[in-house]
Amino acid sequence: MKSRGMDPVLSTVRLTVREAVHTLSSSEDGGCIFSTLGSLKRYLGETENPALPEEQEEFARIHFSTFLRCLVGKLSPDWLELLPDGQLEELWASFFLEGPADQAFLVLMEAIEGAASPSFRLMKMARLLARFLSAGRMAAVMEGQCRQQTEPAFSLLQETLLSKVVGLPDHLGNRLQRENLAGFFPQNYFPLLGEELLQALQVVVESLRGGLDCSVSFLSQVLGKACVHGRQKELLGVLVPRLTALTQGSCLWQRVCWRLVERVPDRAMEAVLTGLVEAASGPEVLSWLLGNLVMKSKKAQFVMTQKLLFLQYRYTTPVLRSLLGYLAMDSQRRPLLIQALKELLETWGSSSAIRRAPLAQQHYISKAILVCLAHLGEAELQDCRDELLASLMAGVQSHLDSSLPSVRRLGMIVAEVASAQIHPEGPPLRFQYEEDELTRELLALATPQPAADSPSEAGPPVAPLTAETPNEEMVSSGGPQAQPEGSDSELDSDDEFVPYDMSGDTELRSSKAPVYVRDCVEALTTSENWERWEATLRALEGLIFRSPAATQEVSVELAKVLLHLEEKTGVAGFEGLRQRALVAVTVTDPVAEYLTTQFYALNYSLRQRMDILDVLTLAAQELSRPGRRQKPPQRGPPGPGPQPGSPATPAWRAVVEERIRSKTRRVSKGSAGQGPAADPNKFNSVAGYFFFPLIQLFDRPLVTFDLLGDDQLVLGRLVHTLGALMYLSVNTMVAVPMGKALLEFVWALRFHGDIYVRQGLLSAVSSVLLSVPAERLLADLPDELLEAQSWLADVAQKDPDEDCRTLAIKALLLLEKLRDKLLPPPPP
């Protein structure tokens, strides 16, 4: 009966709208059109005599969209000019700006997509949409979807609105092309969308305070879809700071935010959570915004405890602190932190992960372990101590076995910190490693962040000590400095004397160094006088270069002595002295055959084998150097500068000569000075003795030495040494067979799991391309080059290590230059 009573009212609204549409379609009278539109404004409730609520509801629900489409159809320059001063246009636009926002928005988008491009109608509708956005009507669109609706078509309307709201920049960019408006650019639109979303949330909070039911499902979908489109930075950059301030003191706002994130669809949960973790300023903010989301949503738990810790490693240390601090802030979430620590340590200690994971990811996981340990107490670690220690010890061994120094140092740092935290009463682990910025950052992560970071809670700044320092002139002049009154220094008159500079003094030694090379051999093997032993070692390099004939008589014996020589007296720079002496012997009378034979011999340590490789590389470098002198350049600390009157050229004279040269005009510019004297490449005749014995026996394991097994560190050094020897053999007679052998060696090891070995293999390929003449490469090694090219392309795309990818790209560029150099360009 009630619906029948409303029939006359419904018929009145329908009749009024039908007459108005007829008038708009047929009339050319501006006054009549203006009056007709004004009469319909009463159904929007914006006039002094508004229509009844039932009439307004019917107009909005049934007739409003149809009427707006009629207004769009009449839009033309002539129609708008029926009344002066833009009166008709303003009245026409008011229906879009004051009526139901969701319907107006959909009609605007429909008109823009259906208008011809370019056209007057398209630009007019685009500018009207820009006014619609700037007037805050997008918030009204989302507010309308937050009210509980039960109509069957409501879900379809929300889906359409969701697509249009989030995809607006794409739709407008495709339609307007170069005429696009600045407000529709993504970098401008999504911050505006964030502001409008906040306004909609404000309405939801006020409705809840008033006892009305609301839903944030549509807002969650908008948030999720925008983040999936990659707009986390623009949208959350506006939302998170405002929500942080609102949730800090309001439980209701916290509940609304928790619900907002909980209702995000699973397919968008990862994008939303990663954006929130990056935008949040700390774990407290994450706790306010997310609550116990990880305990309610399996998807959120997977993202927060697996995806962001193990599968992605691009996040900064503050983001990692926020993520793990969020898990540690609530007692219900702390079991997830302990489980994450177990899995992190297990992954960190996996030998397979150490060999194949990128170094950046290993750093990321190590940081996560240290942050977890900083948040967990001894009582919490007690229950799983055995499991954690087992993973830690296995991981330390795997890290120390790595051939990369950075990986070994990573294992040392984590082992020191973790062992002290997990087993504090046990013996502490201590390692020696170089400290750098990464080391200091890792050690700083072992201590939890203070709860209060605000400057107001910090203590007063401490004045630097330099503020009390006298002026520089007094200090540098060596004059007496004023002492505090009543100090004990007044009683000690000796303190007023300036200490004498003894930095240039040398220690007087009772033993003299031998003057013959053969005596050096005897002194190093049988002498019990340690001062003589040290003096011999320091003088040996110079003696070898001054007495090449005497050195050749005992070269093998001397090389054997130096190779087995052990430090006995704590000589400063012992390793450098021994290595330079070995290099001098190898350069003076090449004993490469002996050294390469000893490399694969029994009863040598890995350190000695790597010393052999270093000596061979340095000796080859010295032999291949053009204009090589018999005496090597001084490697020790620089001596005193030239005294006045010495023959050395003063600095001012060099400056004057350079100025004269730069200001002198010459008709024919020749060489500025005499070039270096021609000198044969001494490495040419011995390159094969350095190279081929090293490459022949790499695949034959010994009892204590297996290059293809556990001794991958030495294998990596061997590969780098072979690449260096190949590079130094440029323009030698054996460069081609060396290149062929090296490419076959590379091909055999191309899939090696160790990063250091793969880096050496890629460097070796580049050495072949740089050292072997291009014509010989294509003539003698075409198949090897094709195989290498396909492998390099695969490495450049798929290798997990960034340095390996870079080396592969450089080698591919060398191949490209080689092809362009030899092959004629195609005809135009």
Side-chain angles (χ1 to χ4, degrees):
M1 295 297 295
K2 185 177 179 181
S3 61
R4 289 185 180 180
M6 292 181 64
D7 285 343
V9 177
L10 296 175
S11 300
T12 301
V13 176
R14 183 182 298 111
L15 181 61
T16 304
V17 172
R18 184 179 301 171
E19 290 177 354
V21 170
H22 177 74
T23 302
L24 292 175
S25 302
S26 59
S27 176
E28 296 294 334
D29 184 359
C32 180
I33 294 174
F34 189 85
S35 175
T36 301
L37 293 178
S39 65
L40 289 179
K41 285 291 292 290
R42 60 191 295 267
Y43 292 114
L44 298 180
E46 300 293 335
T47 60
E48 296 180 357
N49 185 23
L52 296 175
E54 296 84 356
E55 294 179 338
Q56 294 182 29
E57 180 184 355
E58 181 198 356
F59 179 76
R61 185 165 52 87
I62 300 177
H63 306 291
F64 186 65
S65 296
T66 304
F67 179 69
L68 288 183
R69 292 187 181 95
C70 177
L71 291 180
V72 171
K74 293 301 295 181
L75 184 62
S76 67
D78 296 336
W79 189 79
L80 292 178
E81 291 175 359
L82 292 176
L83 288 179
D85 301 329
Q87 301 178 41
L88 187 56
E89 180 178 356
E90 192 61 31
L91 182 60
W92 171 84
S94 66
F95 283 91
F96 292 92
L97 300 177
E98 299 171 5
D102 52 353
Q103 297 184 55
F105 175 70
L106 289 177
V107 172
L108 281 171
M109 295 298 294
E110 176 186 320
I112 289 172
E113 292 174 1
S117 178
S119 65
F120 171 82
R121 178 177 297 179
L122 175 63
M123 294 308 301
K124 186 63 70 175
M125 298 305 297
R127 293 191 179 94
L128 180 58
L129 179 59
R131 286 184 62 188
F132 182 91
L133 295 178
S134 61
R137 298 297 290 165
M138 187 60 74
V141 172
M142 292 186 283
E143 290 168 16
Q145 306 308 308
C146 293
R147 304 186 185 96
Q148 298 290 345
Q149 302 280 353
T150 57
E151 288 84 352
F154 184 67
S155 60
L156 180 60
L157 172 64
Q158 278 199 344
E159 188 175 340
T160 305
L161 273 175
L162 179 65
S163 174
K164 302 297 183 185
V165 168
V166 179
L168 185 144
D170 296 333
H171 292 297
L172 271 296
N174 289 335
R175 293 298 299 150
L176 298 179
Q177 300 292 329
R178 297 181 180 274
E179 303 296 327
N180 198 9
L181 304 180
F184 302 142
F185 293 166
Q187 62 269 27
N188 298 328
Y189 173 74
F190 284 102
L192 173 66
L193 184 62
E195 294 284 353
E196 302 295 271
L197 200 149
L198 275 171
Q199 292 298 324
L201 285 175
Q202 184 72 50
V203 172
V204 170
V205 171
E206 295 299 329
S207 299
L208 292 175
R209 285 174 178 162
L212 300 177
D213 291 337
C214 288
S215 171
V216 295
S217 177
F218 182 75
L219 303 183
S220 300
Q221 294 181 53
V222 170
L223 175 63
K225 196 175 184 67
C227 290
V228 167
H229 284 197
R231 297 300 171 183
Q232 297 103 318
K233 186 176 180 181
E234 293 91 340
L235 187 63
L236 296 177
V238 173
L239 276 177
V240 171
R242 295 282 300 278
L243 289 178
T244 300
L246 292 169
T247 56
Q248 187 171 1
S250 173
C251 295
L252 181 57
W253 267 103
Q254 289 184 14
R255 288 179 55 201
V256 170
C257 287
W258 298 349
R259 193 64 173 169
L260 176 69
V261 185
E262 287 174 15
R263 297 303 299 270
V264 171
D266 282 351
R267 62 179 178 274
M269 184 64 75
E270 179 183 346
V272 173
L273 288 180
T274 54
L276 285 173
V277 170
E278 288 186 285
S281 58
E284 299 86 358
V285 175
L286 273 182
S287 189
W288 296 335
L289 298 181
L290 301 181
N292 281 335
L293 176 68
V294 291
M295 308 303 296
K296 302 175 183 178
S297 169
K298 293 294 183 182
K299 179 68 174 181
Q301 186 178 124
F302 171 77
V303 171
M304 299 288 278
T305 62
Q306 298 291 323
K307 200 70 176 286
L308 299 184
L309 293 179
F310 297 96
L311 303 180
Q312 297 179 2
Y313 52 92
R314 61 182 177 85
Y315 303 106
T316 61
T317 302
V319 171
L320 195 58
R321 279 185 180 270
S322 296
L323 170 61
L324 296 172
Y326 161 75
L327 296 178
M329 285 194 68
D330 189 87
S331 59
Q332 297 183 23
R333 301 193 292 263
R334 289 185 76 85
L336 295 179
L337 183 66
I338 298 174
Q339 182 62 30
L341 175 60
K342 293 178 182 178
E343 297 177 0
L344 283 167
L345 268 177
E346 183 180 356
T347 303
W348 178 82
S350 170
S351 59
S352 176
I354 293 173
R355 288 196 304 269
R356 293 176 173 83
L359 190 58
Q361 186 174 17
Q362 298 185 44
H363 287 164
Y364 185 79
I365 291 177
S366 300
K367 293 177 184 179
I369 291 173
L370 298 180
V371 174
C372 287
L373 290 171
H375 285 293
L376 293 173
E378 183 180 350
E380 294 173 297
L381 296 173
Q382 184 71 31
D383 296 336
C384 53
R385 172 185 293 181
D386 294 338
E387 182 180 352
L388 295 177
L389 281 177
S391 299
L392 178 64
M393 292 300 104
V396 172
Q397 184 62 43
S398 299
H399 278 80
L400 294 181
D401 289 341
S402 174
S403 56
L404 295 177
S406 55
V407 175
R408 295 197 296 272
R409 184 173 50 184
L410 204 61
M412 298 175 191
I413 297 171
V414 175
E416 283 188 357
V417 176
S419 62
Q421 292 277 67
I422 299 172
H423 195 52
E425 64 272 12
L429 290 178
R430 290 291 181 265
F431 298 94
Q432 292 182 352
Y433 47 81
E434 296 180 2
E435 288 196 7
D436 58 2
E437 184 178 354
L438 178 61
T439 303
R440 289 187 288 271
E441 181 185 8
L442 289 173
L443 294 176
L445 290 176
T447 57
Q449 272 189 317
D453 292 331
S454 60
S456 60
E457 300 184 15
V462 180
L465 295 178
T466 54
E468 303 294 333
T469 306
N471 57 34
E472 278 189 29
E473 294 181 3
M474 288 294 296
V475 174
S476 62
S477 63
Q481 300 181 14
Q483 299 292 336
E485 186 176 352
S487 65
D488 294 339
S489 61
E490 295 178 353
L491 304 178
D492 296 332
S493 58
D494 293 345
D495 290 349
E496 298 181 1
F497 293 100
V498 179
Y500 186 77
D501 184 12
M502 302 178 64
S503 59
D505 291 2
T506 58
E507 183 181 355
L508 296 177
R509 298 182 182 273
S510 58
S511 299
K512 295 183 179 180
V515 294
Y516 298 104
V517 176
R518 189 177 296 275
D519 294 341
C520 291
V521 176
E522 181 181 355
L524 291 176
T525 53
T526 62
S527 177
E528 295 295 334
N529 186 340
W530 300 124
E531 289 189 0
R532 176 177 173 80
W533 187 88
E534 181 180 347
T536 301
L537 185 59
R538 294 188 180 279
L540 183 56
E541 181 187 11
L543 279 177
I544 291 172
F545 282 109
R546 287 195 298 269
S547 308
T551 302
Q552 292 173 4
E553 296 177 1
V554 294
S555 58
V556 175
E557 183 181 358
L558 182 57
K560 182 178 181 180
V561 169
L562 290 171
L563 191 59
H564 291 83
L565 194 64
E566 296 181 358
E567 185 177 4
K568 299 178 180 179
T569 60
V571 178
F574 168 78
E575 291 296 336
L577 293 171
R578 184 173 71 99
Q579 184 186 75
R580 290 200 292 271
L582 264 172
V583 171
V585 174
T586 310
V587 169
T588 303
D589 180 28
V591 290
E593 287 186 89
Y594 169 75
L595 293 177
T596 54
T597 302
Q598 298 306 302
F599 179 76
Y600 287 106
L602 293 171
N603 301 324
Y604 278 93
S605 66
L606 298 183
R607 179 70 265 173
Q608 288 174 311
R609 299 183 198 275
M610 289 190 288
D611 287 342
I612 291 174
L613 296 177
D614 293 339
V615 168
L616 290 173
T617 303
L618 293 173
Q621 184 177 1
E622 184 69 21
L623 288 169
S624 63
R625 187 160 54 92
R628 184 181 64 85
R629 298 174 296 172
Q630 289 300 316
K631 187 176 180 179
Q634 182 180 0
R635 293 180 175 86
Q643 300 297 326
S646 64
T649 304
W652 63 267
R653 182 172 296 176
V655 173
V656 171
E657 291 178 354
E658 178 61 28
R659 288 180 179 176
I660 294 174
R661 244 191 329 268
S662 63
K663 296 180 180 295
T664 303
R665 297 181 59 186
R666 294 181 174 85
V667 177
S668 176
K669 189 173 181 180
S671 59
Q674 185 178 1
D679 191 26
N681 186 348
K682 300 296 181 62
F683 189 58
N684 183 17
S685 58
V686 294
Y689 297 104
F690 279 70
F691 182 86
F692 289 109
L694 285 179
I695 206 172
Q696 286 176 350
L697 304 176
F698 75 94
D699 55 348
R700 300 181 188 178
L702 302 175
V703 178
T704 59
F705 185 46
D706 186 7
L707 285 175
L708 300 184
D710 295 335
D711 300 323
Q712 54 191 10
L713 173 59
V714 185
L715 177 62
R717 296 288 288 272
L718 173 62
V719 175
H720 282 82
T721 299
L722 292 173
L725 295 176
M726 183 74 244
Y727 179 75
L728 295 172
S729 66
V730 61
N731 298 327
T732 62
M733 300 296 294
V734 292
V736 176
M738 285 174 62
K740 184 177 180 64
L742 187 54
L743 287 180
E744 292 176 355
F745 175 79
V746 169
W747 191 252
L749 297 175
R750 66 190 184 280
F751 296 125
H752 200 280
D754 188 78
I755 296 175
Y756 185 58
V757 174
R758 294 202 305 275
Q759 291 175 357
L761 295 173
L762 294 165
S763 300
V765 174
S766 297
S767 298
V768 173
L769 297 176
L770 291 170
S771 301
V772 180
E775 297 81 3
R776 299 296 303 275
L777 276 175
L778 291 183
D780 298 348
L781 309 173
D783 297 335
E784 289 83 353
L785 288 180
L786 288 176
E787 293 173 345
Q789 184 176 13
S790 61
W791 171 63
L792 291 171
D794 188 67
V795 171
Q797 293 180 355
K798 302 177 181 178
D799 196 286
D801 183 65
E802 183 179 359
D803 292 336
C804 288
R805 295 194 299 270
T806 303
L807 290 170
I809 292 173
K810 290 180 179 178
L812 286 172
L813 291 175
L814 289 175
L815 273 174
E816 189 74 17
K817 291 181 180 179
L818 178 67
R819 188 191 66 181
D820 295 342
K821 179 180 178 181
L822 295 180
L823 298 180

